[in-house]
Amino acid sequence: MTKTSLTGGQAAVEALRAEGVTHVFGLIGSATMEMFDALYDADDIQFIGVRDERTGTHMADGFARASGRAGIILAGQNGPGATNLVTGLSQAKAAFSPVVSIAGALSSAHQYRDAFQEVDQQALFTPITKKTWTVPSSDRVPEIFREGFRTALSPRMGPVQINLPRDVLSGQADFDMPLQTPDQYRQAAAPAGAQDAIEQAAKMLTAAQRPVIVTGGGTKNTLGHEQAILLAETLGCPLVTAPGHGDAIPFSHPLNAGQMGPRGNPVASRLVKEADVILALGTRLGFNSTFYSYDNINRDAAIIQVEIEPTAIGRFFPVKLGIWADAPTAALQLTDAITALEMRAAADDWVSRFQTERADYLAKRDADAIMTHPTQPSGLFKVLRSVLPTDAAVTMDAGTLCLQATDALNYHSPRSLFTPLDFGLVGFSFACGLGIKAAQPERPVVSFMGDGGFGMTVSELSTAVDTGLGTVTVVMNNGCWGAEKAYQRDFFNGRYIGADVSSPDFAALAELYGGHGFRAERLDEVAGAVEAALATAADTGRPAVVDVAVDPNALYSFRRDSFKHRGG
């Protein structure tokens, strides 16, 4: 090692390099000029300038989820630049996404003096991150960055915030170079389940008449689908996925029932309502899966829950057996234990019945699709199923049309569906897609949004054009805030207020930004428009927008449980 004198800003960039960071999303600001100046010399790190810190955080979130590495967002300005991070970090926390957020902060000498753009950033970010630090001195920059990356990437993953006061960035200190790299200080091994618990779970599963495996982020984010599938095949039982994680198991596998719960499909939902033993493999059985209600899960089922976060075990539903472990590791352990038992209950009828129902459901989904004008969601989704590339990364917003689309499209490999999950955020999808494209430039990325959500974030078309992020965004344009208008229709006697949205021609707007625009006024124009958008975006490296007119009356109330008191 050699002693090297660096500014705090230079040390911050060297800390990113030590972590193997390749991309930084951010918005320049005067509070972090020392760090931006150091990035100027960092040819191995691509800086992607965004138009808003919120959407930049969604890009970092998408990058992290797609790559499995930390996504970096740099808010150059303290105060308003930092406060714009709040929505994006809250979203990342709900998705357990390892975002490392960095923001400039007020000079230490000016704190608590009502200084220009002063806000207590330490207090602001603490509730919405795994941990927040304000670096106290220049010499501690690498130490805090190491702690930040370790915290973000350790189970369960999640966002962290690092605040860098101006004087810390401009100050000088001597550092031992090169800085520590992750292999020197981070443990990579995943925890295995206790053997006695594994053996007990194996006996419960082999004795079950109606076993089902429910899996989610713990399988998807670890790319543990092969281990989960091997377990299901060994046991001979269906696999069900949590909503928003429909890509955890490839669509075509014969034991895959699809997404469960109030926002899932009826076949998968029935399995969980009737199962006698439920193996929750890397899933919390949380809100989107269950609404925390026994309406969506069998009250009498014995639940075995495998979770890497011990506080999640038995949190929402009592469990018969909890196993603290990494989901794919536990799946292999259970497979070995079940194989060694050489016995299992006859669940063949249970599986055969589900597979018949699943085939009938998929056939009926196609047969019942409404293919007439104006465009209905069912017809739109049928067309999209036929034209989306099987290797596409698909991002979704919240809102009624995206919620319907989540289980209406087919996902052929893990890490191909990216949604707001429990945060239910409108305005997420397009920006998330840009982050995925930065992480996986050769992969087609298709983002679905309503017209309201796209209107929130359309300025990031400039980022996509400037950076060569050729994603395709399908705007399902129904001229309204569809979820809320459905509630006003169904529960408030059609007393509409604030429900309708006016928008420009999004196809023309995309062209004005330097991208490509396509319109589909009728359903029979959708396939051609999406195929042309995919081809053009791939050829030019510039974003394409497909503005699809959808029937404004095709609305659906998802959260009917929230309005039971109003009838309807």
Side-chain angles (χ1 to χ4, degrees), residues 237-474:
C237 81
L239 283 154
V240 169
T241 57
H245 295 307
D247 56 332
I249 303 298
F251 169 77
S252 60
H253 194 277
L255 291 177
N256 182 12
Q259 297 175 89
M260 64 164 284
R263 294 167 178 171
N265 71 71
V267 177
S269 299
R270 179 191 67 78
L271 290 170
V272 185
K273 291 177 184 178
E274 296 182 7
D276 57 354
V277 176
I278 297 171
L279 173 61
L281 183 66
T283 178
R284 296 169 295 147
L285 297 175
F287 175 80
N288 274 340
S289 296
T290 65
F291 283 4
Y292 310 130
S293 167
Y294 280 111
D295 292 342
N296 300 294
I297 189 170
N298 186 4
R299 182 186 295 272
D300 298 323
I303 299 175
I304 304 164
Q305 188 172 13
V306 176
E307 252 290 346
I308 202 164
E309 171 53 53
T311 63
I313 297 174
R315 183 180 179 192
F316 304 127
F317 296 92
V319 300
K320 189 75 172 177
L321 179 62
I323 301 175
W324 174 58
D326 168 65
T329 302
L332 287 179
Q333 289 180 283
L334 285 167
T335 300
D336 290 343
I338 289 167
T339 302
L341 287 174
E342 295 183 349
M343 57 171 283
R344 96 180 155 82
D348 296 344
D349 290 345
W350 165 250
V351 172
S352 176
R353 177 188 168 197
F354 126 70
Q355 289 176 326
T356 299
E357 286 185 359
R358 174 74 168 162
D360 290 346
Y361 163 73
L362 294 175
K364 190 173 187 297
R365 184 174 70 171
D366 277 344
D368 290 352
I370 301 172
M371 308 302 291
T372 56
H373 183 76
T375 297
Q376 302 298 308
S378 60
L380 174 61
F381 302 148
K382 179 178 181 179
V383 171
L384 291 170
R385 288 194 292 270
S386 69
V387 299
L388 290 180
T390 56
D391 63 338
V394 174
T395 71
M396 295 284 181
D397 238 35
T400 182
L401 287 171
C402 284
L403 284 173
Q404 292 176 70
T406 301
D407 196 65
L409 302 181
N410 303 331
Y411 310 101
H412 299 275
S413 61
R415 294 187 187 168
S416 60
L417 172 61
F418 303 84
T419 81
L421 298 171
D422 289 358
F423 199 56
L425 178 64
V426 172
F428 165 80
S429 179
F430 170 48
C432 175
L434 297 182
I436 295 167
K437 191 67 174 179
Q440 300 174 333
E442 301 306 315
R443 190 178 187 188
V445 178
V446 183
S447 298
F448 291 91
M449 303 193 82
D451 45 317
F454 189 59
M456 288 181 175
T457 58
V458 69
S459 63
E460 296 300 350
L461 281 168
S462 290
T463 298
V465 169
D466 294 346
T467 316
L469 299 173
T471 67
V472 173
T473 301
V474 177

Side-chain angles (χ1 to χ4, degrees), residues 193-208:
Q195 191 58 37
D196 58 343
I198 292 292
E199 291 172 1
Q200 184 181 347
K203 291 176 182 177
M204 291 171 62
L205 288 165
T206 53

Side-chain angles (χ1 to χ4, degrees), residues 31-32 75-79 82 102-108 111 117 119 121-122 133-135 162-169:
T32 49
Q77 197 61 36
N78 58 284
I102 306 162
L106 200 66
S107 293
S108 302
Q111 291 180 20
Q117 295 183 328
V119 66
Q121 293 175 202
Q122 182 70 32
W133 298 263
T134 298
V135 182
I162 300 173
N163 299 309
L164 291 166
R166 291 181 181 226
D167 53 305
V168 168
L169 287 171

